[in-house]
Amino acid sequence: MPSLRALLRLPLAIGTVILPNRVLLAPMSGITDAPFRRMAARLGAGLVVSEMTASQALVQAHPQARLRAEGHGGSHHVVQLAGCETRWMSEAARIAEASGAAIIDINMGCPARHVTGGESGSALMRDLDHALSLIEAVVGAVSVPVTLKMRLGWDGRALNAPELARRAERAGVALVTVHGRTRCQFYQGRANWAAVRAIKANVTIPVVVNGDIDSFDAADAALSASCADAVMIGRGAQGRPWLPGQIARYLAFGRREAAPPLATQFAIIDQLYEEMLGHHGIAVGTRHARKHLGWALDAAAATAGVSGMLCGLERRRVLTEDDPRAVRHRLADAFATFAAGERRAA
């Protein structure tokens, strides 16, 4: 029988789509825009998923919805759709496929109140019959594989992810991703990876475990506890778009790579900043990119081993500037300061 490491070296099939590895970048609203997905894919993520896109807004051609669903220019474009009406979900899926999506992902995991208040996202786990009607509508509308992202359930008294997964597979879903918390937990406590094992035992399609996977050890532990086929990395990739690729290579070959050198980290965030400005426009892009700059500075400071005080000082200098040329100049200065601190510590 092949070892777990040997199995993790094998490509992962999602219907007819074959992934190069078993580490996926999670869809994150306001974060996984096309530039960020493109960067994570370049750095080795096996699959990257768009921000959650409202199905009705996509059908009605709202500019922001179209931008969220835009391809990242690489292989295997995935659009994640949210909604609670079959007509919008099915038509949005057709539009996404016509626009080049290789996979349609259905969101039944978002815990945000503005989403669940509209009976979308994880609120759908309170009514599995309605959830299945949406799944059937999307599967019936497209020829590409359809996947599903969910939580363990609405709360601790309704852990119905195994039933939803089983019914989704029967309806034609090709893969399920499970975040190891209930909706009512939001992001509190730790993800319960072991609870995902019940979903894996209930289906024959691939299962992806998600939640708190931010290191090599966490990926090992999540796979061991869940028996899942792959991992999905969300917040762990903030400021570290190289992490999914590093974990993919670790799972396949056992090699634990250090964080990239500071010069490489600077080149990554500088390019990402430029691409975000081009994607969103200067006015929106400067605001949108600010959180990415902050996370990148945090990652760089951790790599250099500099003090939190110095990191905070450089963050304020960079993040309070609005002019893009000045931002990039201050960002370069911050990385140079961190590099000097790293040399002194050595």
Side-chain angles (χ1 to χ4, degrees):
M1 181 176 180
S3 68
L4 175 61
R5 189 73 66 191
L7 289 172
L8 292 172
R9 290 195 190 104
L10 299 176
L12 180 67
I14 304 176
T16 56
V17 175
I18 308 299
L19 305 188
N21 64 60
R22 294 169 179 254
V23 180
L24 290 64
L25 176 71
M28 293 179 280
S29 290
I31 298 169
T32 53
D33 58 6
F36 189 81
R37 282 180 275 133
R38 184 160 51 245
M39 184 62 72
R42 286 174 186 157
L43 295 170
L47 190 71
V48 296
V49 184
S50 80
E51 300 175 76
M52 179 183 67
T53 304
S55 56
Q56 183 176 347
L58 185 61
V59 173
Q60 295 175 338
H62 291 194
Q64 190 61 33
R66 290 295 177 97
L67 196 65
R68 280 173 168 253
E70 185 176 303
H72 63 283
S75 60
H76 306 325
H77 174 39
V78 186
V79 174
Q80 187 188 70
L81 297 175
C84 61
E85 294 186 44
T86 56
R87 59 171 177 151
W88 298 124
M89 289 291 286
S90 58
E91 184 58 26
R94 281 189 283 267
I95 290 170
E97 181 183 27
S99 300
I103 297 171
I104 306 297
D105 187 58
I106 301 173
N107 184 309
M108 293 190 183
C110 181
R113 288 185 175 88
H114 73 276
V115 176
T116 59
E119 298 304 316
S120 298
S122 56
L124 291 164
M125 298 195 74
R126 294 186 294 187
D127 185 348
L128 296 194
D129 289 340
H130 181 49
L132 260 291
S133 72
L134 299 175
I135 292 169
E136 290 165 352
V138 172
V139 170
V142 297
S143 60
V144 297
V146 175
T147 60
L148 175 65
K149 191 168 190 291
M150 67 178 83
R151 288 197 162 218
L152 297 176
W154 178 257
D155 58 27
R157 296 168 296 180
L159 301 177
N160 56 3
E163 181 184 355
L164 176 57
R166 176 179 56 79
R167 295 178 67 179
E169 180 181 19
R170 288 182 178 176
V173 162
L175 172 147
V176 294
T177 300
V178 187
H179 183 110
R181 291 181 176 89
T182 66
R183 183 272 175 184
C184 290
Q185 286 180 279
F186 287 89
Y187 295 97
Q188 297 173 350
R190 296 291 300 175
N192 184 355
W193 302 319
V196 178
R197 188 181 288 243
I199 293 92
K200 176 62 181 171
N202 228 27
V203 296
T204 61
I205 55 176
V207 173
V208 182
V209 60
N210 172 232
D212 298 338
I213 301 171
D214 56 6
S215 67
F216 303 121
D217 287 339
D220 272 338
L223 287 167
S224 177
S226 66
C227 293
D229 302 281
V231 298
M232 177 175 278
I233 299 174
R235 291 172 295 165
Q238 293 173 358
R240 301 186 294 170
W242 56 82
L243 186 66
Q246 285 190 332
I247 289 180
R249 291 186 290 275
Y250 166 69
L251 292 177
F253 306 112
R255 184 174 67 250
R256 294 182 178 233
E257 301 172 11
L262 288 179
T264 302
Q265 291 187 34
F266 172 72
I268 289 170
I269 187 58
D270 188 60
Q271 182 177 356
L272 186 60
Y273 184 67
E274 181 179 9
E275 291 186 13
M276 284 181 172
L277 295 185
H279 182 72
H280 296 282
I282 299 295
V284 174
T286 51
R287 296 193 303 273
H288 175 85
R290 194 168 287 134
K291 54 183 171 285
H292 291 275
L293 296 174
W295 293 325
L297 288 166
D298 290 342
T303 298
V306 301
S307 70
M309 183 179 297
L310 179 58
C311 180
L313 176 63
E314 295 300 334
R315 280 177 62 98
R316 286 191 294 274
R317 290 188 68 250
V318 173
L319 302 184
T320 55
E321 181 56 68
D322 291 321
D323 178 72
R325 285 183 297 181
V327 168
R328 295 177 80 172
H329 181 74
R330 292 187 180 188
L331 188 65
D333 285 348
F335 272 78
T337 299
F338 291 163
E342 185 179 39
R343 287 192 296 272
R344 285 194 296 270

